[in-house]
Amino acid sequence: MVSFPEPGQLVLQIDHHLVSLDGKSDIYFIPAFQQSYLSLNGKPYRGIFVLKRNGHSLSLVNILNLEDYLRGVVPLELSPVTFNALEALKAQAVAARTYALKNIGRNKQLDFDLTDTQSSQVYGGMSVEHPLSNKAVEETAGEVIVYRGELIDALYTSTCGGMTEDSENVFSGKPLPYLRATTCFYEKQPEWNLETAFNYPSVEIKGRDVLPEVAPILSLGIFQTADTAYDFSQPVKAEEIIS
C-alpha cells in the first residue's frame, strides 16, 4: 500500500509496518537466503530490488550481475527455440553484453542504467531463461566488441526486411565503420507478393495492359500531382499522365 499523508511525504506499508520514503532514502529488498530469489508479479528475478522515489512516482530497480542479466536478455532477443544454434546465440550474447556496458548510465537521471523493454534490451528475469542461451552466455563470459580500443555501439534489430541501413541514415552523428548496410540473408526474399482486395481499373504502358495487382506500385512512380483527379473509369495510358 502507498499513501501520501502530507504533501511531499510518501509512506508505504510493508509487512504491516509503515515506512516513510522521503526521496533521499531507498528501500532494498534482498533475498533471505543465498539460493533464494525475489519475485515480481509471480516471476522470479536474480539479484536484489531497490524501490526508489522519483517525485510522486516510484521506480523498482533490479540490481544484478551483468552475466545474470544477460541470461534474461539473450533468449528474448534471439529465441533459442526458433534459432536452435549455439554459435548464433553466442554472437547475440556478445552483442547484448557490449550494448549493456556501452549504455551504463544511460538513464542516470532516473537512477538506473537500462530499461527492460526495446528502448534498451528486452529483459525478462529468470522465467525466460533457457539452457542453450545460458550456455551461450557462459561460454562468452566477459567477451565484448571493441573498435579502436572502445566499446562499439552494438545496435541490432529483430527484423531487417532483408537489408540493414548505414548508421548515419538512421541516427545523427558521423558514419560508423562497423554499422554499414548489409544484406540480411535470413529475411531476404527473391520476390515480394502483393495482394489487393480492390478492383483497380486497367493501366496501359506503351500499349500493353499492366496487371491490376501491380498497378498500385506503378502509381507511386508515374502519377503526378494535379489540380483535378484523373478519371479512372476508362483505361489510362502512362503517356497521358507523365509530365
Side-chain angles (χ1 to χ4, degrees), residues 22-78:
D22 57 10
K24 299 179 181 179
S25 303
D26 300 327
I27 298 178
Y28 286 74
F29 298 88
I30 302 173
F33 306 100
Q34 186 175 2
Q35 298 301 322
S36 60
Y37 304 97
L38 299 175
S39 65
L40 177 65
N41 296 328
K43 296 181 179 180
Y45 288 84
R46 298 178 184 274
I48 66 174
F49 288 153
V50 181
L51 189 64
K52 297 176 176 288
R53 178 181 178 183
N54 294 307
H56 285 283
S57 64
L58 295 174
S59 296
L60 186 64
V61 181
N62 184 197
I63 299 179
L64 73 167
N65 177 277
L66 174 61
E67 300 302 309
D68 287 340
Y69 162 74
L70 294 174
R71 293 170 181 262
V73 170
V74 175
L76 291 181
E77 294 291 1
L78 187 68

Side-chain angles (χ1 to χ4, degrees), residues 118-190:
Q118 292 90 341
S119 63
S120 294
Q121 298 184 120
V122 181
Y123 166 68
M126 294 181 64
S127 62
V128 302
E129 293 181 12
H130 188 279
L132 191 59
S133 54
N134 280 353
K135 184 177 181 180
V137 172
E138 294 167 2
E139 293 191 4
T140 62
E143 294 184 15
V144 294
I145 310 169
V146 298
Y147 177 74
R148 292 185 176 178
E150 295 185 1
L151 292 168
I152 71 166
D153 197 1
L155 301 177
Y156 57 88
T157 177
S158 63
T159 306
C160 70
M163 189 74 182
T164 62
E165 181 59 274
D166 292 334
S167 60
E168 67 273 18
N169 294 331
V170 181
F171 308 100
S172 59
K174 61 182 181 180
L176 298 174
Y178 54 82
L179 289 180
R180 300 292 85 199
T182 186
T183 301
C184 180
F185 292 100
Y186 182 80
E187 292 187 2
K188 185 175 178 59
Q189 299 186 36

